[in-house]
Every structure is written in C-alpha cells, then in structure tokens.
Amino acid sequence: MNSSEIRAMKTKSSPRPVPARRPAHEGGFLNLRVIALLTSLTGVFLLALGGFVTANPSKGDGRALGAHSNRQDTPRAPSSSQLTGRTFARVTPDGVITENLLASQVKSVVRATRLHRAPAWQAPERFALEPLGNTLWQVDDENAIADGAAIDANDVWGAWTLQGARLGAYPIGGDGTPDFEFSSFGSGNSGVASAKGADRMGFLESNAAGNDFRVHGFKSTSAGIPDWSFTFPETDPNLPASSKRLAVSRDGSTIAAVVSDEPATQTSKLYVFEADTGEIRSSRADALRMNAVDLTDDGSVALVTEDNLAVLVDTSNGNTLFSVAGSGAGNIFYRISGDGNVFVTNGFNLDVYQFDGTTYQRVIHFSQANNWFGGASIVSRDGSTVGSFAGNFTNWLSGEVFLFDVASAQMIGSYPVSGTGAFQGTPVGAESNDNGTVMAFASWGTEFHDWPEVMVFNRNVDLIGQIDFPGSAFGVDVSADGQYVAGSAKAVHANTFGSGGRIELIQLAPQPTPTATPTVTPTPTPAVTPSPTPAVTPTPTPTPTATPRPTPLPRLRPTPHPRPTP
C-alpha cells in the first residue's frame, strides 16, 4: 500500500547442537509490563541501557527497556572505577518485570580484529563457538556494551552504551576499524538506524542522567561531524535512547524517533524529521508510552508501538490512519513491511495484519502456552514472510523460532531451542533481508550457550548462520540482500556482572529466491474493525534461484576522527 492509499483511509474516516525443528503448540497469557530500577553505589538514579532487566513489583511502574552495565566477575567489593550490573526477567501477576543495579563507570578501551578469538574480558577456559558463515571482523570494547547495529550498503553502524557511549561507522569491507566515531555526551545510552537503500543514518543518544536527548543525521562521508542535530525538549530517564526507538526510511528521506517526558507531562511523543536537513515534518503526542517506531520504505507511514497499541501514523501531519491492540505491553516492538501492506503485532500472541484493498484484516493469529513473542518479531520488506522468536517465560530456558508465509497465512515451520543453567535466554531482536529468505534472531543466550546468541535461518527454517557471543546479544541486523548479518552484544551474560561488548559481522552464502506469490493491490476505502482468523498450520517452502554478492573489497577510508570530549 503506497502513501496516497493509506492517507486516503484517513480522509474517508564442540559446540552444543541446537535441537531439530518440531511443530508448534498454542496458548496464551496475560499482559506484560517492564520495570527497570537502577541504583548507583554512590547514589540513587534512573538510567536505562537498551535491553531488559529483573525486578520487584514494589518498585513501582517504571517504564525502562532496561540497563546493561558491568562489574568484574570475581566476587569482591566494587571500587569507584568498576561498572556493576546485571539483568533479569521474571513473571508476576502483572506480567514480566525487569530490574538492574548500576555502579560508577570506567574508561572504555576499544580494539578490532578479524579473528574469532577470545578477548581479554573472556575467561580463558570459555570455549568460543565459530559461527556458521564467514566472520569478516569483530570490534571489542572492554567496558561499553554494543547495544545496537545497523547495516546499509556501505557500513555497519554501531551504537555503544555506558561509559564510552557513542556511534561507530565500520565499513563492511574493512577490518573493524571505524571511519569515524561520534558522541556529544561520552556516556549514557544510544541507538542507531540506517537507510538500506540510501546513504543516510540516524543516531539517537541520551546522557547518563537521562535528562538530555539528542538525534543526529549522518552519512558515510560525514567524517564524524553530524549533518544536523536536534535536542529534544522531552526528558525521561526511564525510557532512554535505544535502537528500537529510532527508524530511518529505506529511501533515506525520513528519520523518526520516539521520546518521553514522563516526569513532567506523563506523555510520549513521535518526531518525524526530514532526513537531509533535520527539519521537523510532523509530531504526535500521546499519554501512552511509545516503546518503538518503524517506517515504510518512503517514510510516509510510521508504525508506533504505544504500550500494546499498534498505531499507523501519517508522517506528513501526525494523524492516525489505523490502530489495533496487541496482546501485552512492555518488552514489545511492532514491525511493518516496506509498502505498508503488512504489519505485525505481538506479545502473548503473534498477529499479522494485511491490507485487503479496504482496510487491514488479521490474517494470522498464533499463540503458544507460556511464550512471549514481543521481543523478537519481524516482517520482511516485501511482506511475504513473518518470523518470531518466542521465549518461554516460565524460566526463559527454552523457546522456538517460527516462520510464516503471509499470502497463504500458513506456518512454514519452526525451530525449537532449550537449555539449562541459571541464566535467561530471553529473545531481544529480529531482522530480515528484503524477501524473507534470511531471518536473524538475537537473544541473551543461556549459561552454557545451548543455542547461539544470534541464529540465522533461511525460508526452510534451516540454521544457515550463527554468532555465539561470549555474553548476551542485544541487537541484530541483516543486509538488504541477506549476505551480511551483524550482531551487537554485552561481553558477559545479561544476568551476570561484567564489562565490555562486541559488534561482529558475518557473511553468508547466497540464498534461494522464493517463488512470487500474488498479493492484493490495495484500493483505499474507510477503515473497519479487523476480524480474527484461525491459528495457522505448517506448509511447504519455495523454489530456488541464487543471486550471489561478492565479498566487498576494502575501500579507502579517511583517518578516523576522535570523538568530542563532553
């Protein structure tokens, strides 16, 4: 559905093996809430750091997506130069609650390597799994956590969190050395998003206190100097900058971000910017918290996650085009296809909506007992394929990846995983290539690495790539053609104390192109209330035609510019 059609709607009203695939089961549960409580050893302050973390219901109704911070693994009293923190998630009568403890920060040290070797912060006895696919390079930071990564045609853009929080521009064909780095704060939280069809990206950052939020526009040629910057009047330490709260349209025309002003007005706000100039195109405020935003290819429509509500917004004026409730709130992020014809809501259920020429109808409704779909669901750019990594919230030690064909409303297949230990394998992110033949899913992983922290599947639900991080994955992205997968991570598991992080890039073999399935050509008419359809069942897979993409040649890069000192 193009922008004019949607606007018309409003005008008319060795390594451990991973288990084999098995069929899904159905079920449901209750609403989800996320709380993050961050306590410094030198005082009490709120700070969220881009993931999910454990909690105490008595701590109130905080709205953070979580903090990821660090301390040395050896048990001892922390000094003022050590980061301390750990993250958990547990179920209460009100949903899943999360919490984190934070101490003071230390100076960041960064290095890059092409080799898949254990860094200094990884214990020597830890075995590092080699990923499926070719590891091109990895970047390790001894203190900052890699909260997010975004791939375009030229670069992997990395968002680092905590002391040394910054943007890094890493050429795909390089060795992990950044072309440039940038931060106006030097610590705090950050998020990154890029246009897969143009040279344009956005960088969202908030300072350590959580009372200053900024967004910047960059290109690969910006050499560490933003093309433009904007300081938000809103401030909320409970919902800091993160990659899920920022989006860039595929054509590079539009940047969208959601921020909150909870302490002052109890509202959240969507801002839509002209990507080349930073001029505000439109904005939209709501009392519901805005957890995430996604954009169509041309940036004409934004899908905003507002608690459990999915809201399609006309970015030219901020008006609502369509809205529908999902099945839970908190750790929940909705996604939309490039043309806007298909979008996904999730939570305790996975629901897929498709434009039928008149309005959006629910075409897939799927649930599984004790499972949460909210953290890692994705729809491919062409709207053909939906994927979700559901985690079992009874202990977060098992889960299952599901892929669905949208045109037939049938499940393609599934891939279950399970593990043991004290750590939680909570799913935290998902991305797809353009046609849904490569889908990647990120999770915290388990104590004993029972499954890779980043798993990559083809449309047959075969595992075709993986990254086994020493710690927990916090983000993942896939290139438009599916040749590259980037993951971002904490150096140790989210449930443990420790410092550091990593961004890693792998290259996959070319994947088959699926046979095209006819879709409805939308004709806009007034919206109506969507109606449910029955749960889906498995169905077969596509016909191959490989389109290889060569390994990129290194390109000349300017001398990296140092980050400004706050």
Side-chain angles (χ1 to χ4, degrees), residues 543-554:
T543 313
T545 306
T547 308
R549 171 176 173 180
T551 302
L553 296 174

Side-chain angles (χ1 to χ4, degrees), residues 24 158 195 337-338 513 529 553:
S337 64
T513 302
T529 304
L553 296 174

Side-chain angles (χ1 to χ4, degrees), residues 204-261:
L204 181 66
E205 60 174 349
S206 55
N207 63 356
N211 57 13
D212 197 351
F213 286 73
R214 298 172 191 173
V215 64
H216 313 275
F218 284 93
K219 291 184 178 180
S220 62
T221 56
S222 298
I225 302 172
D227 298 332
W228 56 267
S229 299
F230 176 78
T231 299
F232 296 97
E234 290 77 18
T235 171
D236 180 7
N238 285 324
L239 287 173
S242 77
S243 296
K244 291 182 172 68
R245 309 188 76 210
L246 179 71
V248 180
S249 64
R250 183 187 180 88
D251 65 2
S253 66
T254 309
I255 292 178
V258 291
V259 295
S260 296
D261 194 24

Side-chain angles (χ1 to χ4, degrees), residues 101-426:
L101 300 178
L102 175 69
S104 55
Q105 301 175 336
V106 297
K107 184 177 179 181
S108 175
V109 179
V110 182
R111 59 188 177 277
T113 176
R114 277 185 169 276
L115 302 176
H116 191 80
R117 64 179 180 225
W121 39 256
Q122 182 179 337
E125 65 273 13
R126 282 286 308 278
F127 181 76
L129 296 181
E130 287 292 341
L132 294 173
N134 178 33
T135 301
L136 298 181
W137 48 258
Q138 54 190 212
V139 178
D140 293 322
D141 188 303
E142 291 186 348
N143 299 296
I145 291 170
D147 184 68
I151 303 177
D152 59 23
N154 302 308
D155 295 281
V156 176
W157 301 90
W160 297 88
T161 291
L162 295 179
Q163 183 69 22
R166 66 196 183 278
L167 166 71
Y170 307 97
I172 290 174
D175 61 1
T177 301
D179 271 355
F180 65 82
E181 295 181 315
F182 171 84
S183 173
S184 60
F185 295 130
S187 64
N189 296 268
S190 61
V192 66
S194 64
K196 293 190 177 181
D199 188 9
R200 170 60 65 193
M201 62 80 57
F203 177 58
L204 181 66
E205 60 174 349
S206 55
N207 63 356
N211 57 13
D212 197 351
F213 286 73
R214 298 172 191 173
V215 64
H216 313 275
F218 284 93
K219 291 184 178 180
S220 62
T221 56
S222 298
I225 302 172
D227 298 332
W228 56 267
S229 299
F230 176 78
T231 299
F232 296 97
E234 290 77 18
T235 171
D236 180 7
N238 285 324
L239 287 173
S242 77
S243 296
K244 291 182 172 68
R245 309 188 76 210
L246 179 71
V248 180
S249 64
R250 183 187 180 88
D251 65 2
S253 66
T254 309
I255 292 178
V258 291
V259 295
S260 296
D261 194 24
E262 183 179 315
T265 65
Q266 300 288 307
T267 61
S268 292
K269 196 168 186 178
L270 165 70
Y271 283 87
V272 181
F273 301 92
E274 300 294 339
D276 284 339
T277 64
E279 178 185 355
I280 297 175
R281 183 188 304 171
S282 66
S283 62
R284 178 182 185 276
D286 201 300
L288 294 175
R289 77 194 76 187
M290 296 182 183
N291 294 318
V293 61
D294 201 7
L295 286 168
T296 55
D297 279 356
D298 63 0
S300 63
V301 176
L303 173 60
V304 184
T305 307
E306 299 188 17
D307 278 340
N308 72 329
L309 195 66
V311 183
L312 273 67
V313 178
D314 182 342
T315 62
S316 69
N317 52 29
N319 291 340
T320 298
L321 301 171
F322 183 87
S323 65
V324 66
S327 53
N331 165 29
I332 190 166
F333 317 106
Y334 302 151
R335 305 302 297 270
I336 194 167
S337 64
D339 60 6
N341 275 344
V342 179
F343 71 90
V344 178
T345 69
N346 47 46
F348 296 102
N349 305 320
L350 177 73
D351 292 306
V352 180
Y353 292 84
Q354 186 173 30
F355 191 70
D356 66 359
T358 300
T359 188
Y360 286 97
Q361 298 287 347
R362 190 172 70 180
V363 295
I364 295 173
H365 172 68
F366 181 75
S367 62
Q368 179 146 308
N370 300 327
N371 272 237
W372 179 252
F373 296 85
S377 296
I378 186 64
V379 56
S380 60
R381 179 203 175 207
D382 65 2
S384 66
T385 313
V386 165
S388 187
F389 186 3
N392 187 318
F393 54 73
T394 58
N395 56 17
W396 300 108
L397 287 175
S398 63
E400 194 159 0
V401 172
F402 301 93
L403 298 189
F404 299 85
D405 177 71
V406 175
S408 65
Q410 299 296 307
M411 185 193 296
I412 297 169
S414 68
Y415 196 99
V417 294
S418 62
T420 58
F423 299 165
Q424 299 163 303
T426 310

Side-chain angles (χ1 to χ4, degrees), residues 454-474:
V454 172
M455 298 188 292
V456 189
F457 297 91
N458 63 16
R459 211 169 184 266
N460 297 324
V461 206
D462 300 318
L463 186 68
I464 59 171
Q466 68 184 56
I467 303 174
D468 189 85
F469 283 115
S472 292
F474 283 170

